[in-house]
Amino acid sequence: MDRPLAAEFKVAIVGSGPAGLSAAAHAAKLGVSHVLFERTPHINDTIFKYQKRKHVMATPEVLPLRSDLDFKEESREEIIESWTAAVETDKINLRLGVEVTAIKGQKGDFTLTLSSGEAVAAENVVMAIGVQGNLNRLRIPGNDLPFVQYQLDDPDEYKGEEIVVIGTGDAGLENALALAVNNNVSIVNRVADFPRAKAGNIALIEAAIKRGDIQHLANCEPKGLEDGGFLVLDTADGAGVRLKCDRVIARIGALPPRRFVESCGIVFPNDSPTAYPAVSETYESQIPGLYIVGALAGYPLIKHCLNQGYEVVEYIQGNKIPPADEPLIQAKLDDAGVKMNVNELVAAVRERLPLFAALTTLQVREFLIHSNIHYPKSGEVVFKRGEFANSLYNILGGEVGIQVDPDNPDEMVRLRRGDFFGEMALISGRRRTSTVIATTQALLLEIDRNTMVKLVRSEPTIKAGIDKAAVIREIKTFLAPQVEDNLLRDVVESSAVVEFRPNEKLIEEDATDDSVYLIRKGSVTVSMNCGGKDVVLAYVPAGNYVGEMALITHRNRAATVTAASATEAIRMDSAAFRGLLEKDPALRRKVEAKLEQRMMDRNLMQRNAEAGDLIKFLVREGCGEATDVLLIDESLCVRCDNCEKACAETHHGVSRLNREAGPTFEMLHVPTSCRHCEDPHCMQDCPPDAIHRAPNGEVFISDQCIGCGNCERNCPYGVIQMAAVPEKKPGLLSWMFFGRGPGPGEDKSPAGLARRTGGKHAVKCDMCKGIDGGPACVRACPTGAAIRVDPAGFIDVMRHAGA
Amino acid sequence: MSVSDRFTAAGLDIRPTRHESFLAYNRFRFLRWATVLVLLSIALYLGVRPYGQPYGGGWAGYTLGTVGALLILWLTWFGYRKRTYNSNSGRLAARLSAHVYLGLALFFVATLHTGFHFGWNIHTFAYALMCIVIASGIFGIFAYAHYPRQMTENRESMTTAQMLGRIAGIDDELRNVVMPLDDTTVAAIERCIETNEIGGSAWRQLSGRYPRCTTAAAIAHMEAIAEGHTIVQEAWRQTLVKLSEKAALLARIRRDIRFKAMMEAWLFLHIPLTFALLAALTAHIIAIFFM
């Protein structure tokens, strides 16, 4: 077959984002014959589509930059300008507006088919197409009229316009909400609700529709667009309407690049929409000569992409340069005083830690950057009981002892090379349950919480491995600390970890099942139906069991148990549990004594419905998943807002709490302020991994924030805001005596906020981490109305209210 | 261990686990201090004879005067302390507790210092100013103890913005339901929609009385035309229902503002007179020692 060969290149690069452009720049520098294809008419489409003047962060800060392109923390415009200039000066062979539609062949002989029908031959291919995909366009007449657009750069650009947004995914909703500030916005919806958006966005759009800020055109279908700004819609009643508007913004998703990648012969490890194709440590896919770098390989940060572009060209040239992270990991080893090099460490992790056996070398290196290495001497404490959990520890060498019984520190459970510990608090999001001490000199690898969460999500064998060990340890810690392992075997083997969504029922009143549930994460409420009303009898946090009453009394379930937050429980088979109680009379007595206490508490609570209502209220407001929450006693609160002013004054002029907002029950008010959740919603989708939990439990946002706003949308309690940093203001005395500058809390007013310039960051309560005196809101309350409480404190507050 | 341990360990009672009023702070610690101070002052006054020759002089008189003057300076400093947020000096509630009880004790200390000699002079003037400042403070204690609960009960879980939003909603509904009625009624409703008198002068805020309230006027008008509205009775009834709802909401907002004003109004006496007191106190000291 004749093949029209346009050119022959050593390397063809697909996609001119940070990864692709960096690869092309390095190829040009080394004089390697190359070509760079970009389907849009400009380089770097993703950054191009950022909001105008967006401040782009250069994270992770610790990672050195390794690229022929310049990159530092700067604005979108500066980056585009500098990289566009680099195309010229570096003599990059760039072809804009050309889409690669197929890649066939093997190392040394690839053929790339272009949208023009032309074919290009290359020895190697670097795929750097990102994960954005191609934006879908409306498939109706008039879809390219000038008033129709498929993306929105800067919502503030439009004022006083009639705008119709088509598309009810997150992008559509976010655009509609942002535009509604200055325009009349309607949103077209094929159905009546918003099944494809995140919960946070749904709540915002529904509120905006209710307020009348946005018009909801439900059950409507776009039929056509006409000159002069008309949108024709089919309506549910079949009548149809012709809307006049200034602008139509269609956000109807993008075709993910996965299909194209698979058509090139690359296999994905699983069907998850977040799955990335596996690559070797030199970024090579299963097809030799076909390399994958950047976001498509699972590295969304610009600096990673730039480095990988540089490195992949070096690898193609046959240069085995060490990765950019090598000195970082080496420094961790050196700091800990371990005489090892990075390759030895990677090999040790892969050989000695069965938990991570399924990971590739690249994945191991990636998590090592976010890990710490400890080399404690015999007798040194690794962590103490009661600290907040941030990490999982793995033993690469030596031995540690876990002090299971705080009253008897000499009694220790020993763990050795290959074992891990610290998973219980990591799962529950609560404090460490035991103190751990090195019993010989031990080489420990500490992996931080966020990295661990990502690993658990991406690799099922890690989750299974952790769960297997955790179940035994949780049963031992929370239920039967003195019981021999062999007695527990039946219970452990017949148990299962069950997950419950908030408000899902673990146990229903009057049901005939009799399993016992050990809550290991989250919390539950126990309630009973009294005359048609659901009366809450108890709040049970993680680390306790429920459901033993039916098993002991041989009756139907006496109460309903409902998850107060996302909850995980170990369901223990009733026969096995009963068997354990028979074999261990001491445990039986303990369980029965607790049951008796619970029955007495319940009787007390049944007579005191108000306390039950208070529990219900606090749970509904998220206190069930909180580790620390601000509660205001309104019978003491004089509405001076000194709490807000104190918060603003200690946090760059932006108060992270709204005293007036939020619900009140009786005199107890839960203001809009961070609950420091056990499993923080805000952490779930943070691209630069900027949200962390400090050892004292504070959930905080570090300087690495890129201002994407994900956390703001993910927080169900609305406690995160996007804010710019204000100017520095003069001291308090010069305000008091000379009227200089904004006074305490005054710069958080609309006028003060308008003066702020610069990039916006996510801000939230950090519980005044780093301020010795503790939370400023509580300190500044003149009347004692504001307190912050942890879960142990809720029970106290509840009792107090019930008394 | 809990998060709070970090602070309690540092000796700062930052993390109370339950709500405690500033009046009852730390089992009335500052009430006990103030009582001791007053008892000591009385003992000094009764024990040293002859007391203060003349008028609060002598070592006992000077001691009481010095303690009183220092107390005044320290109490004034509360305004600065309240606005220092980045401090390690503990809870403001503790400071307010001390401010309240030692402020009350000041009355006794200063009164004993005078030796009950009063006249038309700068000395008694300073004393009188101090008494007014303390009296306004006592009203403040009453307001702080009394109004917060009433405010919450009055609001029924609504924020100010929600109440105002609901009023705007009622206004829209009023425009529709009043349409079938006669022109004078429409005009009365229009006036009621145009002007919603909320807040206003200090007197309005504090009294909660709004004699020119357009909603009240509209209700009066509706009642006046109650007879002879058979055909449009439904419109008349609905209008009145909406007006009553609006009047209730307005009353609620005005009460809210009134409570807030009551909690703030006394400060307009308390703070300026404190500065006047400082000036008078300076004059008093200069007059005693340098004239």
Side-chain angles (χ1 to χ4, degrees), chain A residues 628 634 639 642 660 779 785, chain B residues 15 85 92 152 155 160:
Chain A
D628 191 286
E634 288 208 330
R639 277 74 166 174
N642 212 32
E660 193 190 1
R779 266 190 295 124
Chain B
R15 298 276 309 216
Y85 300 112
L92 186 61
T152 300
R155 280 193 176 204
T160 310

Side-chain angles (χ1 to χ4, degrees), chain A residues 358-397:
Chain A
L359 297 183
T360 64
T361 306
L362 208 60
Q363 283 171 306
V364 171
R365 291 192 85 108
E366 176 64 21
F367 84 63
L368 285 177
I369 301 177
H370 300 285
S371 303
N372 285 317
I373 290 157
H374 302 278
Y375 199 38
K377 292 189 188 68
S378 176
E380 230 173 276
V381 173
V382 180
F383 58 69
K384 282 198 188 117
R385 182 169 187 267
E387 282 176 357
F388 260 97
N390 294 290
S391 51
L392 180 86
Y393 285 82
N394 296 276
I395 308 177
L396 282 164

Side-chain angles (χ1 to χ4, degrees), chain A residues 393-409:
Chain A
Y393 285 82
N394 296 276
I395 308 177
L396 282 164
E399 187 193 75
V400 301
I402 304 176
Q403 293 177 346
V404 275
D405 183 359
D407 299 327
N408 189 3

Side-chain angles (χ1 to χ4, degrees), chain B residues 133-154:
Chain B
V133 170
I134 293 176
S136 63
I138 292 173
F139 178 80
I141 300 171
F142 163 77
Y144 277 19
H146 188 65
Y147 292 113
R149 178 176 285 274
Q150 292 203 359
M151 223 169 153
T152 300
E153 282 166 355
N154 177 51

Side-chain angles (χ1 to χ4, degrees), chain A residues 519-654:
Chain A
I519 317 287
R520 69 168 197 175
K521 178 193 170 185
S523 53
V524 297
T525 56
V526 181
S527 61
M528 242 171 134
N529 189 333
C530 297
K533 189 178 177 265
D534 198 36
V535 175
V536 174
L537 303 174
Y539 165 80
V540 184
N544 292 285
Y545 56 83
V546 288
E548 80 288 5
M549 196 182 283
L551 182 130
I552 292 174
T553 60
H554 296 280
R555 293 207 199 118
N556 288 359
R557 294 291 192 187
T560 299
V561 177
T562 315
S565 55
T567 296
E568 283 180 23
I570 301 169
R571 184 172 57 209
M572 292 175 284
D573 177 69
S574 53
F577 194 79
R578 213 173 266 139
L580 172 66
L581 293 189
E582 272 161 23
K583 277 182 258 174
D584 191 332
L587 181 64
R588 186 181 181 95
R589 277 194 296 280
K590 212 173 96 182
V591 171
E592 281 174 351
K594 182 147 189 179
L595 177 63
E596 208 166 299
Q597 180 62 44
R598 281 183 168 178
M599 304 268 259
M600 273 158 59
D601 285 351
R602 276 180 198 193
N603 287 339
L604 203 71
M605 286 293 288
Q606 262 174 310
R607 288 201 299 275
N608 191 349
E610 197 179 285
D613 288 343
L614 181 63
I615 298 180
K616 225 191 259 181
F617 166 75
L618 287 174
V619 164
R620 195 175 60 228
E621 292 315 317
C623 300
E625 61 176 322
T627 62
D628 191 286
V629 65
L630 180 62
L631 295 177
I632 293 179
D633 183 342
E634 288 208 330
S635 68
L636 295 174
C637 172
V638 295
R639 277 74 166 174
C640 64
D641 283 336
N642 212 32
C643 46
E644 282 189 22
K645 287 175 197 159
C647 186
E649 285 303 297
T650 46
H651 294 90
H652 302 295
V654 183

